[in-house]
Amino acid sequence: MKRWAILLALIGLALVTALVIREGIGDVAGILRQAGWALLLLVPLRTLPLACDTMAWRGLLKPIDPQRRASWPFLFWVCAVRESVGLLPMTNIAGDVVGIRLARTRIANGTAVVASVISEVFMTICNQYLFAALGICLLILTTGALEQTRTMLLGLIIALPIPILFGLTLRFGSMFRRIETFLMKTIGPELSTWVNGESLDAEMRAIFNRTWRLLRAMGWQLSGYALGTLETWLALKLLGHPVDFSTALALEATVMFIRHIIVIVPAGLGLQEAGLMMIGTVLGLPPDVSLSLSLAKRLREVVFCTPVLLSWQWFEVQQLREKSAEAT
């Protein structure tokens, strides 16, 4: 799986390079140079949607961590690590796995932590659907480009059963007990030492029974998506092609939809660039500006995620030292 992720990342990087060459390296560089160091303002701006994600996760964890051993700053850092891991050539679930591991250093109930992250995955599917629908509606209202958005509208209609069926399965089904039974038969009884499907199903039902808490968490996460639009709005302003907030939201939401359709490509390399250029053309943005916007977003990702990933490695080293000291 890791080899496939690396291969797809290289293909995506090659596509980005080809797009830059096609649009003209000098033209793209000139647009970025016009914005200059002000593009670094995108880095602290990223903390706003992350804060919303943290509020959403903290709300789900509160019933199992009333003493707040997993404090808000700690969970904010874990959310940043989860996002930053997505920058690496790894599978898309790697960030969630790392997040579970880090949260378990503060919360003893590992099954409940896993359930909270799975609930977040469900919320992400629902909110990305809602956000994409809002973006496509704004795109049609802004440009009247019904023909160009027909494929995305069809994709939304086809995808509609996915969040519904996933939610019903988590709420009423025994999905993880069935998965555990299957894995026990294929892998062996030693699996039962680290996973319990029945307990995980019970934790999922407990989360879904707290309806208002789950809806509040979804609201926080959706607010984070809306605040993430500020990055696109500010970047275009700095690049010399300002747009209003509704246009920026239409661009952000539809490109997010395109980027997450093919989840196996690490960091959406190539998909984000092609999506921004396609939707940007519909909204009247020149292709080289759309490509420069994508590169500005990539720059923010590198500047923001690199120190976060380094802090994660430092944390893991400290954990190993503590375990080694306890063993001796």
Side-chain angles (χ1 to χ4, degrees), residues 259-293:
R259 175 171 170 168
H260 287 90
I261 288 176
I262 307 176
V263 296
I264 59 174
V265 180
L269 272 172
L271 295 176
Q272 174 177 289
E273 286 70 24
L276 277 169
M277 292 176 70
M278 180 180 71
I279 304 302
T281 300
V282 176
L283 290 169
L285 290 175
D288 53 354
V289 173
S290 298
L291 187 55
S292 299
L293 170 61

Side-chain angles (χ1 to χ4, degrees), residues 195-241:
V195 69
N196 188 312
E198 189 171 351
S199 297
L200 186 52
D201 284 323
E203 289 290 348
M204 291 305 310
R205 285 191 288 271
I207 289 176
F208 273 77
N209 284 335
R210 305 181 190 110
T211 307
W212 287 112
R213 186 175 295 277
L214 185 63
L215 289 175
R216 280 197 301 270
M218 290 182 66
W220 276 113
Q221 191 185 72
L222 189 58
S223 299
Y225 287 166
L227 286 173
T229 302
L230 289 172
E231 178 180 87
T232 296
W233 176 83
L234 178 59
L236 285 172
K237 184 178 179 66
L238 295 174
L239 292 170
H241 288 267

Side-chain angles (χ1 to χ4, degrees), residues 291-305:
L291 187 55
S292 299
L293 170 61
S294 183
L295 294 178
K297 286 173 170 285
R298 296 294 183 192
L299 174 65
R300 190 273 302 160
E301 287 180 347
V302 171
V303 174
F304 183 86
C305 295

Side-chain angles (χ1 to χ4, degrees), residues 127-266:
N127 280 332
Q128 283 183 354
Y129 187 94
L130 293 173
F131 196 54
L134 175 60
I136 293 173
C137 289
L138 285 173
L139 187 62
I140 294 172
L141 290 173
T142 303
T143 65
L146 183 60
E147 189 68 30
Q148 292 90 332
T149 57
R150 184 171 295 174
T151 302
M152 287 186 286
L153 283 170
L154 181 60
L156 279 178
I157 295 171
I158 294 173
L160 180 58
I162 295 176
I164 296 174
L165 292 175
F166 188 34
L168 290 174
T169 302
L170 292 175
R171 173 63 182 85
F172 299 105
S174 301
M175 180 172 67
F176 299 105
R177 181 179 61 80
R178 296 177 186 276
I179 293 174
E180 179 190 17
T181 301
F182 171 76
L183 293 177
M184 290 273 286
K185 292 178 180 178
T186 56
I187 297 177
E190 64 272 10
L191 183 71
S192 61
T193 61
W194 58 273
V195 69
N196 188 312
E198 189 171 351
S199 297
L200 186 52
D201 284 323
E203 289 290 348
M204 291 305 310
R205 285 191 288 271
I207 289 176
F208 273 77
N209 284 335
R210 305 181 190 110
T211 307
W212 287 112
R213 186 175 295 277
L214 185 63
L215 289 175
R216 280 197 301 270
M218 290 182 66
W220 276 113
Q221 191 185 72
L222 189 58
S223 299
Y225 287 166
L227 286 173
T229 302
L230 289 172
E231 178 180 87
T232 296
W233 176 83
L234 178 59
L236 285 172
K237 184 178 179 66
L238 295 174
L239 292 170
H241 288 267
V243 298
D244 56 43
F245 188 79
S246 61
T247 301
L249 194 149
L251 184 61
E252 178 76 12
T254 48
V255 170
M256 180 185 291
F257 176 69
I258 294 171
R259 175 171 170 168
H260 287 90
I261 288 176
I262 307 176
V263 296
I264 59 174
V265 180

